Amino acid sequence: MFAFNALKMGESHVFTSTKSLQSVLYTEYENLTIGFLPTMGALHHGHLELAKKALKENDKVVVSIFVNPTQFNKTEDLENYPRDLNADLKLLKTVGDVIVFTPSVEQIYPKDYQNLEIELGNLGTTMEGEFRPGHFVGVMNVVNRLFEIVQPTKAYFGIKDVQQVAVVQFMVDQVKSPVEIVACDIIREPSGLASSSRNYRLSIDELDEAVLIIETLRFAREMAKEYLPKETRKKAIEFFNQGTLKIEYFEIVHPRTLEFIEEWVPGAIACIAGYCGDVRLLDNLQLLPKK
Ligand code: PAF
């Protein structure tokens, strides 16, 4: 679709090649702070809030749009992933002047590409990791590769994907990367439903039904005032199961290690994944204040 290396789309510069992006970042913008928002497109309200925050906190902002094949464990999910670059660019134009990077698979994974040799342990196998084997190895590697290319000052991630944020922070610590990871609050629709590209696939009725997810998390937060994590979890699952959604997991975890907890710790989080029709939704809520 884009015949040139960089096109000016209103207020967005669109780069399709690593070389052309870097030629700007490493020369004209060399002494500027760069905020980076990695995405897979299908942009929504939540992404735009992250882009706005990045624009406030940095001289320049790069938004990557790259549907990363290595983080999908089902080919059909990769094939069906929504792709509409023009719609994404239009949305980005509403937030201001950003640089858009839309690389090809070959740009991200050249022939000599080697995966990082980092063992994610519990972070890679619990919750999302259990239900999407290999997912976080794919995420960790693509984020590392994008960081190598963009060399941002700060990178922005929504904590709706709290496990992804923990994995990225762990990877950054392991490779001693100077990138600052900025974990941003969950952006919610007025109903309380967490903003997500997947919400586009919900019918009007399902949008109502999906509110059960945040209601369950809020119910758990109430239960946490009286019960230990184990009972709180049990009661929250019972609450959820009264509705029409199908649960995949509900866990109460440590905010940093994401290990399941038996005693309350400051900042404890409840994480949930479930199906509304055939759409898999994810959310989490801090049950106890941080210290
Ligand atoms: O959250 C996402 O959209 C993706 O996992 C990310 C961070 C862009 C890596 O492909």
Side-chain angles (χ1 to χ4, degrees), residues 228-255:
L228 284 169
K230 191 171 169 197
E231 286 83 54
T232 300
R233 174 178 182 269
K234 185 165 173 277
K235 286 183 185 297
I237 293 173
E238 280 164 10
F239 178 91
F240 185 88
N241 284 340
Q242 286 166 20
T244 52
L245 275 62
K246 206 172 132 254
I247 201 146
E248 197 163 69
Y249 63 78
F250 179 99
E251 300 296 349
I252 298 178
V253 299
H254 187 284

PDB file of all heavy atoms in Angstrom, residues 228-255:
ATOM      1  N   LEU A 228      -9.616 -14.267  53.173  1.00  0.00           N
ATOM      2  CA  LEU A 228      -8.272 -14.509  52.634  1.00  0.00           C
ATOM      3  C   LEU A 228      -8.360 -14.696  51.108  1.00  0.00           C
ATOM      4  O   LEU A 228      -9.445 -14.924  50.577  1.00  0.00           O
ATOM      5  CB  LEU A 228      -7.679 -15.780  53.274  1.00  0.00           C
ATOM      6  CG  LEU A 228      -7.171 -15.606  54.703  1.00  0.00           C
ATOM      7  CD1 LEU A 228      -6.860 -16.952  55.324  1.00  0.00           C
ATOM      8  CD2 LEU A 228      -5.936 -14.691  54.726  1.00  0.00           C
ATOM      9  N   PRO A 229      -7.206 -14.631  50.401  1.00  0.00           N
ATOM     10  CA  PRO A 229      -7.240 -14.764  48.940  1.00  0.00           C
ATOM     11  C   PRO A 229      -7.988 -16.009  48.446  1.00  0.00           C
ATOM     12  O   PRO A 229      -8.745 -15.936  47.480  1.00  0.00           O
ATOM     13  CB  PRO A 229      -5.759 -14.815  48.569  1.00  0.00           C
ATOM     14  CG  PRO A 229      -5.076 -14.036  49.658  1.00  0.00           C
ATOM     15  CD  PRO A 229      -5.852 -14.299  50.901  1.00  0.00           C
ATOM     16  N   LYS A 230      -7.777 -17.147  49.120  1.00  0.00           N
ATOM     17  CA  LYS A 230      -8.387 -18.395  48.620  1.00  0.00           C
ATOM     18  C   LYS A 230      -9.924 -18.308  48.615  1.00  0.00           C
ATOM     19  O   LYS A 230     -10.575 -18.648  47.629  1.00  0.00           O
ATOM     20  CB  LYS A 230      -7.924 -19.545  49.522  1.00  0.00           C
ATOM     21  CG  LYS A 230      -8.261 -20.895  48.987  1.00  0.00           C
ATOM     22  CD  LYS A 230      -7.592 -21.969  49.816  1.00  0.00           C
ATOM     23  CE  LYS A 230      -8.186 -23.319  49.416  1.00  0.00           C
ATOM     24  NZ  LYS A 230      -7.901 -24.330  50.406  1.00  0.00           N
ATOM     25  N   GLU A 231     -10.497 -17.816  49.740  1.00  0.00           N
ATOM     26  CA  GLU A 231     -11.970 -17.708  49.816  1.00  0.00           C
ATOM     27  C   GLU A 231     -12.469 -16.614  48.873  1.00  0.00           C
ATOM     28  O   GLU A 231     -13.522 -16.737  48.254  1.00  0.00           O
ATOM     29  CB  GLU A 231     -12.442 -17.367  51.237  1.00  0.00           C
ATOM     30  CG  GLU A 231     -12.354 -18.509  52.230  1.00  0.00           C
ATOM     31  CD  GLU A 231     -10.958 -18.635  52.809  1.00  0.00           C
ATOM     32  OE1 GLU A 231     -10.438 -17.633  53.330  1.00  0.00           O
ATOM     33  OE2 GLU A 231     -10.369 -19.738  52.712  1.00  0.00           O
ATOM     34  N   THR A 232     -11.691 -15.528  48.814  1.00  0.00           N
ATOM     35  CA  THR A 232     -12.086 -14.414  47.927  1.00  0.00           C
ATOM     36  C   THR A 232     -12.186 -14.929  46.493  1.00  0.00           C
ATOM     37  O   THR A 232     -13.149 -14.654  45.769  1.00  0.00           O
ATOM     38  CB  THR A 232     -11.035 -13.279  48.022  1.00  0.00           C
ATOM     39  OG1 THR A 232     -10.995 -12.845  49.378  1.00  0.00           O
ATOM     40  CG2 THR A 232     -11.368 -12.118  47.122  1.00  0.00           C
ATOM     41  N   ARG A 233     -11.175 -15.695  46.077  1.00  0.00           N
ATOM     42  CA  ARG A 233     -11.158 -16.248  44.712  1.00  0.00           C
ATOM     43  C   ARG A 233     -12.375 -17.141  44.477  1.00  0.00           C
ATOM     44  O   ARG A 233     -13.050 -17.032  43.451  1.00  0.00           O
ATOM     45  CB  ARG A 233      -9.854 -17.044  44.533  1.00  0.00           C
ATOM     46  CG  ARG A 233      -9.756 -17.780  43.228  1.00  0.00           C
ATOM     47  CD  ARG A 233      -8.411 -18.498  43.104  1.00  0.00           C
ATOM     48  NE  ARG A 233      -8.302 -19.166  41.829  1.00  0.00           N
ATOM     49  CZ  ARG A 233      -8.678 -20.412  41.617  1.00  0.00           C
ATOM     50  NH1 ARG A 233      -9.194 -21.145  42.597  1.00  0.00           N
ATOM     51  NH2 ARG A 233      -8.557 -20.942  40.396  1.00  0.00           N
ATOM     52  N   LYS A 234     -12.654 -18.022  45.474  1.00  0.00           N
ATOM     53  CA  LYS A 234     -13.768 -18.968  45.332  1.00  0.00           C
ATOM     54  C   LYS A 234     -15.091 -18.203  45.180  1.00  0.00           C
ATOM     55  O   LYS A 234     -15.895 -18.492  44.297  1.00  0.00           O
ATOM     56  CB  LYS A 234     -13.795 -19.854  46.585  1.00  0.00           C
ATOM     57  CG  LYS A 234     -14.801 -20.956  46.559  1.00  0.00           C
ATOM     58  CD  LYS A 234     -14.479 -21.972  47.667  1.00  0.00           C
ATOM     59  CE  LYS A 234     -15.579 -23.006  47.774  1.00  0.00           C
ATOM     60  NZ  LYS A 234     -16.712 -22.553  48.574  1.00  0.00           N
ATOM     61  N   LYS A 235     -15.275 -17.191  46.028  1.00  0.00           N
ATOM     62  CA  LYS A 235     -16.529 -16.431  45.983  1.00  0.00           C
ATOM     63  C   LYS A 235     -16.653 -15.654  44.664  1.00  0.00           C
ATOM     64  O   LYS A 235     -17.725 -15.541  44.098  1.00  0.00           O
ATOM     65  CB  LYS A 235     -16.614 -15.471  47.185  1.00  0.00           C
ATOM     66  CG  LYS A 235     -16.917 -16.201  48.465  1.00  0.00           C
ATOM     67  CD  LYS A 235     -17.065 -15.269  49.643  1.00  0.00           C
ATOM     68  CE  LYS A 235     -17.253 -16.058  50.925  1.00  0.00           C
ATOM     69  NZ  LYS A 235     -18.490 -16.862  50.935  1.00  0.00           N
ATOM     70  N   ALA A 236     -15.529 -15.126  44.198  1.00  0.00           N
ATOM     71  CA  ALA A 236     -15.564 -14.357  42.945  1.00  0.00           C
ATOM     72  C   ALA A 236     -15.910 -15.274  41.767  1.00  0.00           C
ATOM     73  O   ALA A 236     -16.688 -14.894  40.890  1.00  0.00           O
ATOM     74  CB  ALA A 236     -14.208 -13.683  42.709  1.00  0.00           C
ATOM     75  N   ILE A 237     -15.362 -16.494  41.772  1.00  0.00           N
ATOM     76  CA  ILE A 237     -15.670 -17.437  40.675  1.00  0.00           C
ATOM     77  C   ILE A 237     -17.160 -17.812  40.716  1.00  0.00           C
ATOM     78  O   ILE A 237     -17.838 -17.865  39.688  1.00  0.00           O
ATOM     79  CB  ILE A 237     -14.749 -18.677  40.738  1.00  0.00           C
ATOM     80  CG1 ILE A 237     -13.301 -18.246  40.423  1.00  0.00           C
ATOM     81  CG2 ILE A 237     -15.201 -19.761  39.768  1.00  0.00           C
ATOM     82  CD1 ILE A 237     -12.243 -19.317  40.593  1.00  0.00           C
ATOM     83  N   GLU A 238     -17.685 -18.016  41.933  1.00  0.00           N
ATOM     84  CA  GLU A 238     -19.122 -18.348  42.061  1.00  0.00           C
ATOM     85  C   GLU A 238     -19.970 -17.199  41.516  1.00  0.00           C
ATOM     86  O   GLU A 238     -20.937 -17.404  40.792  1.00  0.00           O
ATOM     87  CB  GLU A 238     -19.485 -18.584  43.535  1.00  0.00           C
ATOM     88  CG  GLU A 238     -19.094 -19.968  44.018  1.00  0.00           C
ATOM     89  CD  GLU A 238     -19.089 -20.084  45.546  1.00  0.00           C
ATOM     90  OE1 GLU A 238     -19.581 -19.150  46.254  1.00  0.00           O
ATOM     91  OE2 GLU A 238     -18.562 -21.099  46.030  1.00  0.00           O
ATOM     92  N   PHE A 239     -19.558 -15.981  41.863  1.00  0.00           N
ATOM     93  CA  PHE A 239     -20.278 -14.785  41.402  1.00  0.00           C
ATOM     94  C   PHE A 239     -20.272 -14.750  39.863  1.00  0.00           C
ATOM     95  O   PHE A 239     -21.295 -14.572  39.224  1.00  0.00           O
ATOM     96  CB  PHE A 239     -19.577 -13.543  41.982  1.00  0.00           C
ATOM     97  CG  PHE A 239     -20.173 -12.231  41.570  1.00  0.00           C
ATOM     98  CD1 PHE A 239     -21.171 -11.624  42.343  1.00  0.00           C
ATOM     99  CD2 PHE A 239     -19.753 -11.574  40.421  1.00  0.00           C
ATOM    100  CE1 PHE A 239     -21.721 -10.397  41.967  1.00  0.00           C
ATOM    101  CE2 PHE A 239     -20.298 -10.357  40.033  1.00  0.00           C
ATOM    102  CZ  PHE A 239     -21.280  -9.765  40.817  1.00  0.00           C
ATOM    103  N   PHE A 240     -19.090 -14.951  39.286  1.00  0.00           N
ATOM    104  CA  PHE A 240     -18.938 -14.894  37.828  1.00  0.00           C
ATOM    105  C   PHE A 240     -19.783 -15.964  37.146  1.00  0.00           C
ATOM    106  O   PHE A 240     -20.431 -15.723  36.120  1.00  0.00           O
ATOM    107  CB  PHE A 240     -17.455 -15.098  37.470  1.00  0.00           C
ATOM    108  CG  PHE A 240     -17.146 -14.944  36.020  1.00  0.00           C
ATOM    109  CD1 PHE A 240     -16.845 -13.693  35.489  1.00  0.00           C
ATOM    110  CD2 PHE A 240     -17.148 -16.034  35.158  1.00  0.00           C
ATOM    111  CE1 PHE A 240     -16.549 -13.540  34.130  1.00  0.00           C
ATOM    112  CE2 PHE A 240     -16.855 -15.893  33.814  1.00  0.00           C
ATOM    113  CZ  PHE A 240     -16.559 -14.645  33.297  1.00  0.00           C
ATOM    114  N   ASN A 241     -19.797 -17.151  37.743  1.00  0.00           N
ATOM    115  CA  ASN A 241     -20.487 -18.283  37.113  1.00  0.00           C
ATOM    116  C   ASN A 241     -22.003 -18.151  37.116  1.00  0.00           C
ATOM    117  O   ASN A 241     -22.695 -18.935  36.470  1.00  0.00           O
ATOM    118  CB  ASN A 241     -20.056 -19.605  37.765  1.00  0.00           C
ATOM    119  CG  ASN A 241     -18.663 -20.000  37.284  1.00  0.00           C
ATOM    120  OD1 ASN A 241     -18.209 -19.526  36.238  1.00  0.00           O
ATOM    121  ND2 ASN A 241     -17.983 -20.843  38.044  1.00  0.00           N
ATOM    122  N   GLN A 242     -22.523 -17.140  37.834  1.00  0.00           N
ATOM    123  CA  GLN A 242     -23.973 -16.915  37.771  1.00  0.00           C
ATOM    124  C   GLN A 242     -24.372 -16.248  36.459  1.00  0.00           C
ATOM    125  O   GLN A 242     -25.528 -16.227  36.077  1.00  0.00           O
ATOM    126  CB  GLN A 242     -24.421 -16.015  38.930  1.00  0.00           C
ATOM    127  CG  GLN A 242     -24.441 -16.720  40.260  1.00  0.00           C
ATOM    128  CD  GLN A 242     -24.549 -15.732  41.406  1.00  0.00           C
ATOM    129  OE1 GLN A 242     -24.962 -14.597  41.215  1.00  0.00           O
ATOM    130  NE2 GLN A 242     -24.178 -16.169  42.584  1.00  0.00           N
ATOM    131  N   GLY A 243     -23.393 -15.656  35.777  1.00  0.00           N
ATOM    132  CA  GLY A 243     -23.676 -14.959  34.515  1.00  0.00           C
ATOM    133  C   GLY A 243     -23.525 -15.876  33.324  1.00  0.00           C
ATOM    134  O   GLY A 243     -23.396 -17.099  33.467  1.00  0.00           O
ATOM    135  N   THR A 244     -23.498 -15.280  32.123  1.00  0.00           N
ATOM    136  CA  THR A 244     -23.505 -16.086  30.893  1.00  0.00           C
ATOM    137  C   THR A 244     -22.112 -16.282  30.307  1.00  0.00           C
ATOM    138  O   THR A 244     -21.959 -16.962  29.304  1.00  0.00           O
ATOM    139  CB  THR A 244     -24.373 -15.373  29.830  1.00  0.00           C
ATOM    140  OG1 THR A 244     -23.900 -14.020  29.737  1.00  0.00           O
ATOM    141  CG2 THR A 244     -25.834 -15.399  30.182  1.00  0.00           C
ATOM    142  N   LEU A 245     -21.097 -15.653  30.908  1.00  0.00           N
ATOM    143  CA  LEU A 245     -19.750 -15.768  30.340  1.00  0.00           C
ATOM    144  C   LEU A 245     -19.090 -17.060  30.817  1.00  0.00           C
ATOM    145  O   LEU A 245     -19.502 -17.636  31.822  1.00  0.00           O
ATOM    146  CB  LEU A 245     -18.898 -14.560  30.756  1.00  0.00           C
ATOM    147  CG  LEU A 245     -19.023 -13.307  29.879  1.00  0.00           C
ATOM    148  CD1 LEU A 245     -20.430 -12.753  29.876  1.00  0.00           C
ATOM    149  CD2 LEU A 245     -18.050 -12.234  30.356  1.00  0.00           C
ATOM    150  N   LYS A 246     -18.047 -17.457  30.097  1.00  0.00           N
ATOM    151  CA  LYS A 246     -17.334 -18.695  30.464  1.00  0.00           C
ATOM    152  C   LYS A 246     -15.949 -18.336  31.009  1.00  0.00           C
ATOM    153  O   LYS A 246     -15.198 -17.610  30.339  1.00  0.00           O
ATOM    154  CB  LYS A 246     -17.197 -19.564  29.214  1.00  0.00           C
ATOM    155  CG  LYS A 246     -17.069 -21.020  29.530  1.00  0.00           C
ATOM    156  CD  LYS A 246     -17.143 -21.859  28.271  1.00  0.00           C
ATOM    157  CE  LYS A 246     -16.024 -22.858  28.269  1.00  0.00           C
ATOM    158  NZ  LYS A 246     -14.922 -22.632  27.399  1.00  0.00           N
ATOM    159  N   ILE A 247     -15.672 -18.828  32.213  1.00  0.00           N
ATOM    160  CA  ILE A 247     -14.395 -18.439  32.821  1.00  0.00           C
ATOM    161  C   ILE A 247     -13.225 -19.265  32.271  1.00  0.00           C
ATOM    162  O   ILE A 247     -13.389 -20.439  31.942  1.00  0.00           O
ATOM    163  CB  ILE A 247     -14.459 -18.587  34.362  1.00  0.00           C
ATOM    164  CG1 ILE A 247     -13.373 -17.734  35.014  1.00  0.00           C
ATOM    165  CG2 ILE A 247     -14.327 -20.036  34.794  1.00  0.00           C
ATOM    166  CD1 ILE A 247     -13.779 -17.155  36.319  1.00  0.00           C
ATOM    167  N   GLU A 248     -12.084 -18.618  32.123  1.00  0.00           N
ATOM    168  CA  GLU A 248     -10.870 -19.381  31.792  1.00  0.00           C
ATOM    169  C   GLU A 248      -9.987 -19.444  33.034  1.00  0.00           C
ATOM    170  O   GLU A 248      -9.555 -20.497  33.439  1.00  0.00           O
ATOM    171  CB  GLU A 248     -10.142 -18.758  30.611  1.00  0.00           C
ATOM    172  CG  GLU A 248      -9.145 -19.728  30.011  1.00  0.00           C
ATOM    173  CD  GLU A 248      -8.700 -19.332  28.633  1.00  0.00           C
ATOM    174  OE1 GLU A 248      -7.995 -18.313  28.514  1.00  0.00           O
ATOM    175  OE2 GLU A 248      -9.050 -20.028  27.670  1.00  0.00           O
ATOM    176  N   TYR A 249      -9.743 -18.291  33.634  1.00  0.00           N
ATOM    177  CA  TYR A 249      -9.072 -18.319  34.940  1.00  0.00           C
ATOM    178  C   TYR A 249      -9.437 -17.068  35.730  1.00  0.00           C
ATOM    179  O   TYR A 249      -9.803 -16.038  35.166  1.00  0.00           O
ATOM    180  CB  TYR A 249      -7.547 -18.442  34.812  1.00  0.00           C
ATOM    181  CG  TYR A 249      -6.858 -17.272  34.122  1.00  0.00           C
ATOM    182  CD1 TYR A 249      -6.610 -16.064  34.780  1.00  0.00           C
ATOM    183  CD2 TYR A 249      -6.430 -17.394  32.805  1.00  0.00           C
ATOM    184  CE1 TYR A 249      -5.974 -15.012  34.146  1.00  0.00           C
ATOM    185  CE2 TYR A 249      -5.798 -16.339  32.158  1.00  0.00           C
ATOM    186  CZ  TYR A 249      -5.575 -15.150  32.834  1.00  0.00           C
ATOM    187  OH  TYR A 249      -4.964 -14.102  32.215  1.00  0.00           O
ATOM    188  N   PHE A 250      -9.360 -17.210  37.032  1.00  0.00           N
ATOM    189  CA  PHE A 250      -9.466 -16.066  37.950  1.00  0.00           C
ATOM    190  C   PHE A 250      -8.424 -16.328  39.013  1.00  0.00           C
ATOM    191  O   PHE A 250      -8.476 -17.344  39.705  1.00  0.00           O
ATOM    192  CB  PHE A 250     -10.869 -15.988  38.574  1.00  0.00           C
ATOM    193  CG  PHE A 250     -10.994 -14.832  39.544  1.00  0.00           C
ATOM    194  CD1 PHE A 250     -11.587 -13.632  39.154  1.00  0.00           C
ATOM    195  CD2 PHE A 250     -10.499 -14.925  40.843  1.00  0.00           C
ATOM    196  CE1 PHE A 250     -11.669 -12.559  40.038  1.00  0.00           C
ATOM    197  CE2 PHE A 250     -10.574 -13.849  41.725  1.00  0.00           C
ATOM    198  CZ  PHE A 250     -11.167 -12.667  41.314  1.00  0.00           C
ATOM    199  N   GLU A 251      -7.443 -15.465  39.130  1.00  0.00           N
ATOM    200  CA  GLU A 251      -6.366 -15.705  40.091  1.00  0.00           C
ATOM    201  C   GLU A 251      -6.062 -14.432  40.873  1.00  0.00           C
ATOM    202  O   GLU A 251      -6.205 -13.330  40.333  1.00  0.00           O
ATOM    203  CB  GLU A 251      -5.076 -16.155  39.382  1.00  0.00           C
ATOM    204  CG  GLU A 251      -5.201 -17.429  38.569  1.00  0.00           C
ATOM    205  CD  GLU A 251      -5.536 -18.687  39.383  1.00  0.00           C
ATOM    206  OE1 GLU A 251      -5.485 -18.639  40.634  1.00  0.00           O
ATOM    207  OE2 GLU A 251      -5.871 -19.708  38.753  1.00  0.00           O
ATOM    208  N   ILE A 252      -5.630 -14.631  42.108  1.00  0.00           N
ATOM    209  CA  ILE A 252      -5.201 -13.490  42.920  1.00  0.00           C
ATOM    210  C   ILE A 252      -3.691 -13.615  43.088  1.00  0.00           C
ATOM    211  O   ILE A 252      -3.198 -14.655  43.558  1.00  0.00           O
ATOM    212  CB  ILE A 252      -5.941 -13.467  44.270  1.00  0.00           C
ATOM    213  CG1 ILE A 252      -7.453 -13.295  43.984  1.00  0.00           C
ATOM    214  CG2 ILE A 252      -5.423 -12.328  45.151  1.00  0.00           C
ATOM    215  CD1 ILE A 252      -8.340 -13.303  45.200  1.00  0.00           C
ATOM    216  N   VAL A 253      -2.980 -12.573  42.673  1.00  0.00           N
ATOM    217  CA  VAL A 253      -1.525 -12.719  42.530  1.00  0.00           C
ATOM    218  C   VAL A 253      -0.756 -11.552  43.155  1.00  0.00           C
ATOM    219  O   VAL A 253      -1.302 -10.458  43.369  1.00  0.00           O
ATOM    220  CB  VAL A 253      -1.124 -12.845  41.028  1.00  0.00           C
ATOM    221  CG1 VAL A 253      -1.765 -14.073  40.403  1.00  0.00           C
ATOM    222  CG2 VAL A 253      -1.471 -11.593  40.237  1.00  0.00           C
ATOM    223  N   HIS A 254       0.525 -11.825  43.353  1.00  0.00           N
ATOM    224  CA  HIS A 254       1.464 -10.808  43.812  1.00  0.00           C
ATOM    225  C   HIS A 254       1.658  -9.792  42.677  1.00  0.00           C
ATOM    226  O   HIS A 254       1.787 -10.191  41.515  1.00  0.00           O
ATOM    227  CB  HIS A 254       2.796 -11.497  44.161  1.00  0.00           C
ATOM    228  CG  HIS A 254       3.781 -10.577  44.799  1.00  0.00           C
ATOM    229  ND1 HIS A 254       4.493  -9.640  44.086  1.00  0.00           N
ATOM    230  CD2 HIS A 254       4.160 -10.450  46.093  1.00  0.00           C
ATOM    231  CE1 HIS A 254       5.271  -8.972  44.916  1.00  0.00           C
ATOM    232  NE2 HIS A 254       5.090  -9.436  46.140  1.00  0.00           N
ATOM    233  N   PRO A 255       1.689  -8.488  42.975  1.00  0.00           N
ATOM    234  CA  PRO A 255       1.712  -7.492  41.892  1.00  0.00           C
ATOM    235  C   PRO A 255       2.975  -7.505  41.031  1.00  0.00           C
ATOM    236  O   PRO A 255       2.940  -7.041  39.895  1.00  0.00           O
ATOM    237  CB  PRO A 255       1.600  -6.153  42.634  1.00  0.00           C
ATOM    238  CG  PRO A 255       2.021  -6.430  44.034  1.00  0.00           C
ATOM    239  CD  PRO A 255       1.669  -7.859  44.306  1.00  0.00           C
TER     240      PRO A 255
END
